[in-house]
Amino acid sequence: MEALILEPSLYTVKAILILDNDGDRLFAKYYDDTYPSVKEQKAFEKNIFNKTHRTDSEIALLEGLTVVYKSSIDLYFYVIGSSYENELMLMAVLNCLFDSLSQMLRLGSTQAGGLHELNSRQAWATKNVEKRALLENMEGLFLAVDEIVDGGVILESDPQQVVHRVALRGEDVPLTEQTVSQVLQSAKEQIKWSLLR
């Protein structure tokens, strides 16, 4: 039997998904045309959720794709690659995403001017990410995903570097693109420093 030899490719990630307890999409980024329409994507996401939400394993082969996944409180994180993709590479992306979000949300609870504050339940769950906290900090999620994967190519697998880069990008936001809470926080800081002089 002749072995199939495939050309190596940098395009390792086909999609990154975050679903809630009901299998509904909170975040989805597809890097190729495997599922070109939103209808096909949603059907694929429901299928993935139905096959994985009751199992304790971390890897599944589904519809000719390799799926690595992890759950946390009320969220399910998925990184999808082709069937011949290295599961360890996909798992490195998944762990980097999860750990980055966990650190960013934990930092947000301790730093003034950082991401939104967390309630006491989230503060003790330092290695977990909750739906509510994630929804309040979607901008950090988008930046983190863009730092980890670009166009299906893995750029970074170190969560410390991702958190650092996201923090740098968050500081350089022009006034017109800042959220109301960021503008108010900036105004508070300026008033505080003007009073201390």
Side-chain angles (χ1 to χ4, degrees):
M1 190 166 157
E2 193 172 310
L4 178 65
I5 299 175
L6 300 171
E7 286 290 319
S9 173
L10 292 175
Y11 300 97
T12 54
V13 178
K14 290 190 172 285
I16 295 177
L17 308 172
I18 301 177
L19 307 178
D20 67 8
N21 268 349
D22 301 321
D24 295 324
R25 175 193 293 192
L26 295 177
F27 174 84
K29 191 155 190 179
Y30 289 84
Y31 296 104
D32 68 358
D33 292 333
T34 304
Y35 300 98
S37 73
V38 174
K39 184 178 180 181
E40 290 173 323
Q41 291 173 1
K42 295 249 184 184
F44 173 68
E45 292 163 14
K46 281 290 184 192
N47 189 17
I48 270 187
F49 179 76
N50 290 334
K51 301 277 188 207
T52 60
H53 80 281
R54 289 192 201 114
T55 63
D56 288 334
S57 60
E58 297 176 335
I59 300 172
L61 289 173
L62 184 67
E63 296 183 20
L65 298 170
T66 302
V67 179
V68 295
Y69 57 97
K70 176 184 283 200
S71 66
S72 172
I73 303 176
D74 54 358
L75 296 174
Y76 291 85
F77 296 80
Y78 298 91
V79 174
I80 296 142
S82 61
S83 60
Y84 53 85
E85 203 54 65
N86 184 336
E87 295 89 356
L88 295 175
M89 296 269 294
L90 297 175
M91 190 57 82
V93 170
L94 178 65
N95 289 333
C96 181
L97 175 64
F98 184 82
D99 293 344
S100 298
L101 290 173
S102 178
Q103 288 178 32
M104 288 182 339
L105 295 175
R106 187 172 59 237
L107 284 174
S109 68
T110 59
Q111 290 180 347
L115 299 174
H116 300 284
E117 286 192 31
L118 302 175
N119 64 29
S120 60
R121 181 171 174 231
Q122 292 163 326
W124 67 263
T126 56
K127 260 312 214 190
N128 290 318
V129 180
E130 279 186 341
K131 180 179 177 180
R132 184 176 149 266
L134 188 68
L135 289 174
E136 290 174 356
N137 299 292
M138 289 299 281
E139 70 276 2
L141 168 64
F142 291 127
L143 291 172
V145 169
D146 287 345
E147 289 293 334
I148 297 168
V149 177
D150 183 30
V153 177
I154 300 171
L155 299 177
E156 185 63 66
S157 61
D158 180 12
Q160 299 292 334
Q161 287 296 319
V162 171
V163 170
H164 178 68
R165 288 185 188 145
V166 167
L168 287 177
R169 287 173 73 179
E171 291 172 4
D172 297 332
V173 178
L175 183 63
T176 57
E177 295 179 14
Q178 291 183 4
T179 64
V180 174
S181 64
Q182 288 172 323
V183 171
L184 290 174
Q185 184 65 34
S186 177
K188 284 181 198 175
E189 292 291 321
Q190 289 177 2
I191 291 170
K192 179 175 79 175
W193 284 110
S194 67
L195 292 174
L196 292 175
R197 286 185 201 176

